[in-house]
Amino acid sequence: MTRRLSLFGATGSVGQSTLDLVRRDPGAWRVTVLTAHSDVAELARLAREFRPDVAVIADPRHYDALKEALAGTGIEAAAGSDALVAAAERPTDLVMAAIVGTAGLAPTMAALAAGYDVALANKEALVSAGALMMAAARLSGATILPVDSEHNAIFQCLAGGRIDQVRRIILTASGGPFRTMSAEEMARVTPAQAVAHPNWSMGAKISVDSATMMNKGLELIEAHHLFPVGLDRLEILVHPQSVIHSLVEYVDCSTLAQLGSPDMRIPIASALAWPERMATPCMPLDLAQIGRLDFAAPDEARFPATALCRAAVAEGGARPAQLNAANEVAVAAFLKGRIAFPAIVDLVKRVMDAEVPAVPQTLQDIFSVDAASRAAAQQFVDQYEHA
Ligand code: NAD
Ligand code: MG
């Protein structure tokens, strides 16, 4: 049976991995929506290949270029954030939310509100607006299928028991490229070093987040919303090989884990095919060849981001949205060479020193918190630069 797929963030790392799987089984899917931020040439190329009903470029300045590139194809061209939301409301069987950052929040919320199942890679949306997103899904009956490898692993492990019989959920973390570096060494790392992840090939933002361990902190918040076992039952374990993608321990002390090569096509395939399974071209695990798996407790002195995220989600309300927005600005500033690596988490902490805004009740409230936090973070960036 052919299923319809709307793909948000088609030109990114997760988007391309998704299309790689779709391409291998063309009868299984009909791609109805493709979106990108500003890469018109790539979006148009993908649109010509996958023939969606609509292609949306988020940056409206590129509308004319997209329209021209799709002329004569019968594929509708659209642009801007309202067009993203409208595309998310189009009838579909599955939405792949693979936009990076809170830019993905509005379309993902629209899809959930419409009752469409969402394969969720866009963790920042859940960090900012977790309570609203989970409520929207509950109300409409939409299922959120986690794509983030850890959460996908947990989702799979939870099929082996009941969530009210879980004792601990253990999120594994590779530790990133600077796992063994001293704080002094980390003060001098470059963007190029930070985006070179030892195990995974990913977009720039999440790669930097992995290097600061902010990624694992965001994932803790993500897990708190997806798997409501209580914050004190969520733990982080450093596991440099990224073979075990997370673990679920039940009350009887049985621990289930999901293992696989560090290839995002595995969790993506799990979300696409759920509740079935689909074949992938991924490397099967060769544990004899890997030989050993290592584990260590996280070092929160060198990597304070995870503790910051735990505190933010414990406080709740607007705090996680504030943290996430500040982090997006800090990471962008680091990637542009405007601030040093340790300043990323430092800056997030400073933005969070401000009073927390009122508890957001609506998506609009989240956007207000997001904008205010971005402005505050931007001021700190300017100060760092001139210091
Ligand atoms: P990426 O940077 O490679 O791609 C991001 C996509 O979002 C692109 O298609 C881009 O055009 C689009 N985009 C960027 N800014 C936008 C904006 N303002 N408006 C609309 N679209 C915009 O990112 P990625 O690595 O594919 O990650 C995507 C999401 O998946 C992130 O939330 C990330 O945390 C999550 N994730 C990624 C991986 C991975 O392996 N890459 C793993 C787990 C989770
Ligand atoms: Mg992850």
Side-chain angles (χ1 to χ4, degrees):
M1 199 183 70
T2 304
R3 294 169 71 207
R4 293 162 297 182
L5 176 70
S6 311
L7 172 52
F8 290 76
T11 53
S13 164
V14 170
Q16 297 276 7
S17 292
T18 303
L19 290 175
D20 179 74
L21 292 170
V22 169
R23 202 177 267 128
R24 287 164 200 271
D25 193 0
W29 296 100
R30 188 169 86 74
V31 177
T32 48
V33 174
L34 288 175
T35 85
H37 180 225
S38 55
D39 189 346
V40 171
E42 181 61 9
L43 179 61
R45 193 188 68 73
L46 293 173
R48 284 175 177 273
E49 180 182 354
F50 290 95
R51 301 271 149 183
D53 301 330
V54 63
V56 186
I57 195 83
D59 184 337
R61 291 172 300 181
H62 299 292
Y63 175 69
D64 289 341
L66 181 65
K67 202 169 161 54
E68 195 175 317
L70 295 179
T73 61
I75 302 165
E76 185 184 334
S81 39
D82 291 348
L84 277 181
V85 170
E89 287 167 344
R90 288 185 179 234
T92 190
D93 297 302
L94 185 68
V95 172
M96 170 59 79
I99 289 177
V100 63
T102 39
L105 177 55
T108 304
M109 273 294 274
L112 289 174
Y116 305 142
D117 291 349
V118 172
L120 185 75
N122 179 210
K123 69 187 79 183
E124 295 89 351
L126 204 52
V127 170
S128 285
L132 294 178
M133 277 176 64
M134 298 311 292
R138 261 194 310 273
L139 195 67
S140 72
T143 302
I144 300 179
L145 298 161
V147 170
D148 210 347
S149 57
E150 295 75 4
H151 306 74
N152 185 266
I154 295 162
F155 186 83
Q156 293 195 45
C157 294
L158 283 174
R162 278 197 349 231
I163 195 159
D164 61 331
Q165 293 178 336
V166 167
R167 192 157 77 178
R168 281 191 301 169
I169 291 179
I170 302 165
L171 289 156
T172 51
S174 70
F178 309 142
R179 179 174 56 88
T180 58
M181 267 193 192
S182 67
E184 295 71 37
E185 287 171 303
M186 274 192 274
R188 292 189 299 272
V189 298
T190 63
Q193 286 173 291
V195 298
H197 195 277
N199 304 338
W200 301 91
S201 155
M202 311 181 284
K205 196 263 174 180
I206 184 175
S207 298
V208 175
D209 283 343
S210 299
T212 57
M213 296 277 288
M214 185 64 81
N215 182 51
K216 211 49 55 180
L218 299 178
E219 290 184 356
L220 187 84
I221 301 175
E222 187 183 7
H224 174 71
H225 292 295
L226 290 171
F227 314 114
V229 295
L231 201 50
D232 55 341
R233 292 178 193 272
L234 296 178
E235 291 180 16
I236 294 169
L237 176 69
V238 174
H239 164 44
Q241 290 95 348
S242 301
V243 167
I244 296 182
H245 298 302
S246 278
L247 310 96
V248 174
E249 179 187 273
Y250 288 95
V251 286
D252 57 2
C253 295
S254 267
T255 303
L256 303 193
Q258 186 264 348
L259 289 72
S261 313
D263 183 330
M264 278 306 290
R265 291 176 301 180
I266 298 174
I268 292 170
S270 157
L272 288 180
W274 181 87
E276 304 289 320
R277 296 271 179 184
M278 62 187 271
T280 71
C282 303
M283 284 286 288
L285 264 190
D286 185 345
L287 286 173
Q289 220 247 311
I290 292 167
R292 58 180 272 182
L293 299 177
D294 296 294
F295 305 96
D299 179 350
E300 294 195 332
R302 280 184 306 131
F303 296 100
T306 50
L308 207 58
C309 289
R310 192 180 279 278
V313 70
E315 193 179 339
R319 229 15 137 194
Q322 185 187 46
L323 171 144
N324 178 71
N327 182 58
E328 287 191 31
V329 170
V331 169
F334 169 72
L335 284 170
K336 284 193 198 121
R338 296 185 65 189
I339 64 173
F341 182 75
I344 300 172
V345 176
D346 193 47
L347 191 151
V348 174
K349 209 183 293 168
R350 288 176 67 182
V351 171
M352 290 171 65
D353 282 341
E355 214 174 299
V356 68
V359 177
Q361 309 287 349
T362 64
L363 205 52
Q364 210 44 55
D365 293 344
I366 298 281
F367 292 137
S368 305
V369 174
D370 184 87
S373 178
R374 276 170 202 275
Q378 201 55 57
Q379 275 190 348
F380 284 125
V381 169
D382 297 341
Q383 285 171 19
Y384 277 101
E385 249 185 348
H386 299 117

